[in-house]
Amino acid sequence: MAKQIIFGRPYETGALVKEAETTDTLENWQVEKFNDKLVFRCKLTENDIVYGLGEQVRGINKRGGRYISYNTDNPNHNDESPSLYGSHNLLIVDGERHFGVFFDTPARVLFEIDWQNSGEIVVTCDPNVKVVELAGESAYAVAKEFLSLIGQSHIPPLWAFGFGQSRWGYKNRKDIDAVADGYRNANIPLDWICMDIDYMDRFIDFTVNSKRFPDLKGYAETLKQRGIRLVPIIDAGVKIEPGNDTYDQGVKNGYFCTNHEGEPFKAAVWPGMTHFPDFFQPEAREWFGNEYRKLTDLGIEGFWNDMNEPAIFYSEYTGILNALASAPSIDSEKETNAYKDYRNFYHNIDGERVLHDKVHNLYGALMTRAASEQLNKILPSRFLLFSRASYVGAHRYGGIWTGDNGSSWDHLARNVRQMPSINMVGFLYSGADTGGFGGNCGRELMLRWLAFSVFTPLMRNHSAILTKRQECYRYGGQEDFQSVVSLRYKLLPYIYSEFVKAALSGDMYIKPLGFEYSDERSRRIEDQLLVGESIMIAPVIEKGAKSRTVWLPEDMTEVRYDTNGFGCEKIPKGLREVKVAPNEVVFYIRSGKCVPICKGAQCTSEINLRDVVLLGDGKEYRQYIDDGFTKNVTENNIVVLQKK
Ligand code: MIG
């Protein structure tokens, strides 16, 4: 059961689709005023695990850390960084007691969770906040209670569950053709290629550089014939460019955010000086969302929304020198340009001028909502949309990727730990830049990372300009990459089914082991996960490792997949050392469960979801099947398969 209590006059974030029952006392928290903030405290017992916070750093268990919800563009983040791209203020305490709490405010929130061994959780936030307390008989039950309040996940088309290749630096048709050919010639499956900012005319949103893509519509169609879709990026900032339709409409209608003087706020991002759409105005959302039509008219069915924290390089207000001085380390604890600029940045919310800082964490979520609501009207079928910045509730409009990570083993490990937390707050369609965005990804790291990403709904290889090229076909020994990526396609009947079933029933797709097993080892494990109802994974995340220790909380079927195909073996519960060669993927099927496997293909349009065999020792499997595009996604599309 969930209960809510309102302090002050909180901004209605839209995070919840169902109102919880109102209460006037909090069960697990003491509240006090401190200056202009509210401070919530809750004692922990030694055995308590604290789950939550969605896209954040450190462990699945958040104990011992200090975290700040304040959407931040930090391409150099690590486990000490207080803030990432999304803000997801959910905590779930799991010990003798099981309860959760959600702080619904778009302003900054500080979480100190057994920080300095204080033995308590201390949450400091804006005095205008809706606090929702959640109860349940287990941590998993509490998570499901929360999911039932925030509504159903965005469900992308089947092709979005195929493999995507991206890189900042693909400039023109020739570059993209080379990627498509590279994959097809190497027989490594691929379903989509991202277009990063260079496809645009001078980085102006909703334009296409006509020298680089003389006939994007024809080109998109040609690629689609080869089973590959183009997924362009859209940035939050709109270039100041009189004569450009998007800009002109925005200025004319007052759809841009304003500064102290009430003029449209100006700051530099990729296109140079820009204005930022005021996504808090419903009409501005409708206008901006409709602009996507300029690309859907060319046959585009998927987008990624970037720079929507919003990221700001510098403004006339903070100055370029300031920007250069603070450039190398962007840390939300320090004064950066964006933070200063956010104090000269206003929204028009129902006619009231509201300082950005008060509603900061919702900006990117509302950009995604703007796009999603209109795309839903424009397109007859499901579409792909994922965003960098997010807030709770935005999962109804699109997925997220985890922002700018790096090509290193610790980023792979962090990706593993982030996935269950991100699922807890509803973002089922999520994943990281496989191989890492910054830095140079070697062969071994790429193979291990792919082997993990096989199981994340968003499986995309992405890297930054000037880094080592990391398309799978560029590494020697292509058959290893073929093998790992083709496993994804063989598992699609399972991955797609489990994703859609989770969305339909308000469940998680990736869970911590502690949500299903109550033994101490399962509760504490940070590098094994449950994927859907049948699979447990134990990814290799250590450089040079030939094997790893795997904890089996119950008897399971070990499935080994490599260039020779599948091998299955029943394994008794317990701790064991498991060999995993760099080109192998090993996963486990829980006892009494099944996993449907199909033949695989070079792209999802060639996949037959109906032609499957069941692995595992279960008797039946409930498979969700549709045409991959229909908006009519219901339980009626579930068929029950019996083991022959
Ligand atoms: O300032 O569009 O996170 O995925 O490749 C960098 C260029 C802007 C940040 C995104 C990244 C993307 C890059 N963008």
Side-chain angles (χ1 to χ4, degrees):
M1 265 301 288
K3 290 194 176 159
Q4 70 176 43
I5 177 164
I6 288 177
F7 296 90
R9 203 180 135 239
Y11 177 73
E12 181 47 71
T13 63
L16 309 179
V17 293
K18 264 203 285 182
E19 286 293 314
E21 195 184 302
T22 338
T23 175
D24 48 16
T25 48
L26 287 170
E27 211 165 298
N28 301 300
W29 301 82
Q30 307 222 296
V31 199
E32 63 200 69
K33 266 208 119 143
F34 179 74
N35 294 334
D36 59 343
K37 302 274 188 226
L38 283 181
V39 181
F40 298 84
R41 287 171 196 277
C42 160
K43 285 254 174 303
L44 292 171
T45 66
E46 222 177 282
N47 191 38
D48 284 338
I49 285 176
V50 182
Y51 292 107
L53 297 184
E55 183 188 86
Q56 254 293 356
V57 296
R58 306 183 83 255
I60 296 173
N61 184 354
K62 295 293 172 206
R63 267 187 100 135
R66 197 168 169 273
Y67 313 85
I68 298 174
S69 282
Y70 201 73
N71 294 357
T72 300
D73 171 18
N74 183 352
N76 302 312
H77 64 265
N78 56 41
D79 273 346
E80 303 310 317
S81 308
S83 308
L84 296 182
Y85 303 85
S87 291
H88 311 126
N89 306 330
L90 169 75
L91 297 176
I92 298 175
V93 177
D94 175 57
E96 275 91 72
R97 312 157 295 167
H98 314 279
F99 61 90
V101 66
F102 172 54
F103 296 90
D104 194 7
T105 164
R108 177 191 297 254
V109 185
L110 166 67
F111 296 91
E112 291 163 300
I113 303 179
D114 197 14
W115 174 242
Q116 322 259 33
N117 301 315
S118 66
E120 59 177 358
I121 303 177
V122 184
V123 179
T124 309
C125 70
D126 192 89
N128 303 296
V129 59
K130 185 195 283 180
V131 181
V132 183
E133 278 199 293
L134 305 145
E137 53 197 32
S138 64
Y140 188 18
V142 173
K144 281 197 267 196
E145 173 73 23
F146 183 64
L147 291 170
S148 79
L149 295 180
I150 62 174
Q152 191 177 322
S153 163
H154 168 72
I155 303 177
L158 177 64
W159 63 263
F161 294 83
F163 184 47
Q165 177 62 52
S166 181
R167 178 176 170 84
W168 177 11
Y170 298 157
K171 283 185 309 298
N172 48 32
R173 176 174 173 157
K174 201 172 124 243
D175 289 351
I176 289 180
D177 273 336
V179 175
D181 294 346
Y183 273 92
R184 289 290 179 256
N185 293 339
N187 286 320
I188 303 171
L190 188 75
D191 260 84
W192 47 291
I193 300 176
C194 283
M195 300 166 86
D196 208 318
I197 47 176
D198 296 297
Y199 80 87
M200 298 182 209
D201 173 24
R202 292 171 295 138
F203 308 129
I204 304 178
D205 273 346
F206 311 114
T207 67
V208 176
N209 182 314
S210 58
K211 286 216 186 70
R212 294 175 171 184
F213 294 94
D215 169 25
L216 184 57
K217 188 172 184 185
Y219 183 46
E221 186 49 41
T222 309
L223 274 182
K224 213 181 283 181
Q225 296 305 324
R226 302 176 73 187
I228 295 173
R229 282 180 169 73
L230 289 171
V231 177
I233 196 170
I234 301 292
D235 280 0
V238 171
K239 185 175 174 63
I240 300 178
E241 172 93 349
N244 168 263
D245 180 46
T246 311
Y247 169 82
D248 287 345
Q249 284 186 48
V251 169
K252 188 174 98 208
N253 296 301
Y255 289 156
F256 290 122
C257 300
T258 51
N259 63 14
H260 286 315
E261 285 78 39
E263 297 292 318
F265 171 84
K266 268 196 232 172
V269 208
W270 290 110
M273 279 297 167
T274 60
H275 292 331
F276 291 90
D278 189 1
F279 298 115
F280 289 82
Q281 302 177 33
E283 304 78 28
R285 282 203 295 276
E286 204 180 318
W287 153 72
F288 195 84
N290 256 314
E291 292 293 282
Y292 286 73
R293 196 188 285 272
K294 291 180 175 148
L295 291 153
T296 58
D297 280 350
L298 306 178
I300 300 297
E301 299 159 65
F303 296 91
W304 47 312
N305 283 347
D306 191 20
M307 306 297 273
N308 49 1
E309 291 70 31
I312 290 175
F313 294 165
Y314 66 88
S315 70
E316 284 162 356
Y317 179 66
T318 49
I320 190 164
L321 290 177
N322 232 324
L324 292 175
S326 68
S329 113
I330 303 166
D331 185 324
S332 65
E333 299 258 276
K334 286 188 209 135
E335 284 290 311
T336 66
N337 291 282
Y339 295 100
K340 284 183 199 150
D341 282 320
Y342 294 158
R343 295 193 201 113
N344 181 28
F345 188 27
Y346 294 84
H347 302 284
N348 174 350
I349 302 180
D350 299 328
E352 201 183 318
R353 239 163 99 75
V354 177
L355 186 61
H356 176 74
D357 207 54
K358 290 274 172 200
V359 290
H360 171 72
N361 291 337
L362 254 187
Y363 188 80
L366 290 177
M367 176 183 182
T368 301
R369 177 176 168 190
S372 190
E373 285 182 335
Q374 297 312 313
L375 286 170
N376 205 18
K377 289 184 196 156
I378 296 166
L379 295 168
S381 307
R382 279 157 30 213
F383 53 86
L384 170 59
L385 179 63
F386 60 104
S387 170
R388 194 170 72 174
S390 65
Y391 183 78
V392 169
H395 70 296
R396 301 195 299 272
Y397 304 106
I400 54 173
W401 91 98
T402 55
D404 296 346
N405 58 3
S407 301
S408 67
W409 295 87
D410 74 304
H411 272 285
L412 168 56
R414 189 171 306 107
N415 181 195
V416 173
R417 296 190 300 263
Q418 282 175 329
M419 292 312 297
S421 313
I422 287 174
N423 271 254
M424 249 172 252
V425 293
F427 291 94
L428 305 187
Y429 191 82
S430 51
D433 288 352
T434 300
F437 177 72
N440 305 312
C441 187
R443 187 175 192 276
E444 184 196 0
L445 177 60
M446 182 53 92
L447 277 172
R448 295 298 196 197
W449 208 321
L450 285 166
F452 172 64
S453 298
V454 158
F455 298 96
T456 64
L458 165 60
M459 183 188 187
R460 178 180 75 144
N461 178 336
H462 181 49
S463 56
I465 196 162
L466 302 179
T467 62
K468 176 180 153 138
R469 297 289 300 245
Q470 66 186 41
E471 295 83 5
C472 295
Y473 55 84
R474 289 182 184 264
Y475 295 94
Q478 287 176 357
E479 59 286 355
D480 292 345
F481 291 85
Q482 239 168 51
S483 170
V484 176
V485 181
S486 69
L487 173 61
R488 164 69 168 216
Y489 282 70
K490 292 185 179 179
L491 280 171
L492 274 174
Y494 178 77
I495 291 167
Y496 187 56
S497 265
E498 292 302 308
F499 180 96
V500 176
K501 286 191 299 183
L504 288 176
S505 62
D507 207 337
M508 293 160 68
Y509 166 83
I510 296 187
K511 287 169 286 196
L513 260 56
F515 275 27
E516 294 276 10
Y517 303 101
S518 54
D519 64 275
E520 235 5 66
R521 208 183 276 272
S522 296
R523 288 182 75 229
R524 303 270 159 203
I525 213 152
E526 296 266 346
D527 61 358
Q528 293 181 211
L529 300 172
L530 295 168
V531 178
E533 64 177 33
S534 310
I535 289 181
M536 180 185 83
I537 56 170
V540 176
I541 52 177
E542 200 189 312
K543 182 178 165 61
K546 296 193 168 65
S547 66
R548 62 155 286 171
T549 313
V550 178
W551 168 243
L552 287 112
E554 59 174 338
D555 298 352
M556 292 190 185
T557 304
E558 184 178 84
V559 184
R560 207 165 264 281
Y561 183 80
D562 65 14
T563 45
N564 299 315
F566 289 99
C568 293
E569 191 187 344
K570 286 248 195 152
I571 306 277
K573 73 182 225 182
L575 203 59
R576 55 195 301 129
E577 191 64 18
V578 175
K579 286 206 173 106
V580 191
N583 64 351
E584 269 183 319
V585 186
V586 174
F587 63 93
Y588 298 84
I589 304 180
R590 300 172 63 192
S591 81
K593 306 279 188 191
C594 287
V595 172
I597 310 269
C598 71
K599 285 209 183 63
Q602 291 298 300
C603 53
T604 52
S605 55
E606 286 167 12
I607 285 269
N608 184 354
L609 292 175
R610 287 169 203 278
D611 184 11
V612 298
V613 293
L614 297 181
L615 301 184
D617 64 9
K619 296 221 158 40
E620 58 173 48
Y621 181 76
R622 291 174 63 240
Q623 190 187 357
Y624 176 88
I625 307 180
D626 64 13
D627 62 4
F629 296 95
T630 178
K631 288 186 179 177
N632 186 23
V633 181
T634 70
E635 305 259 345
N636 298 338
N637 300 338
I638 296 176
V639 296
V640 181
L641 306 178
Q642 309 283 344
K643 189 90 159 270
K644 278 174 210 130

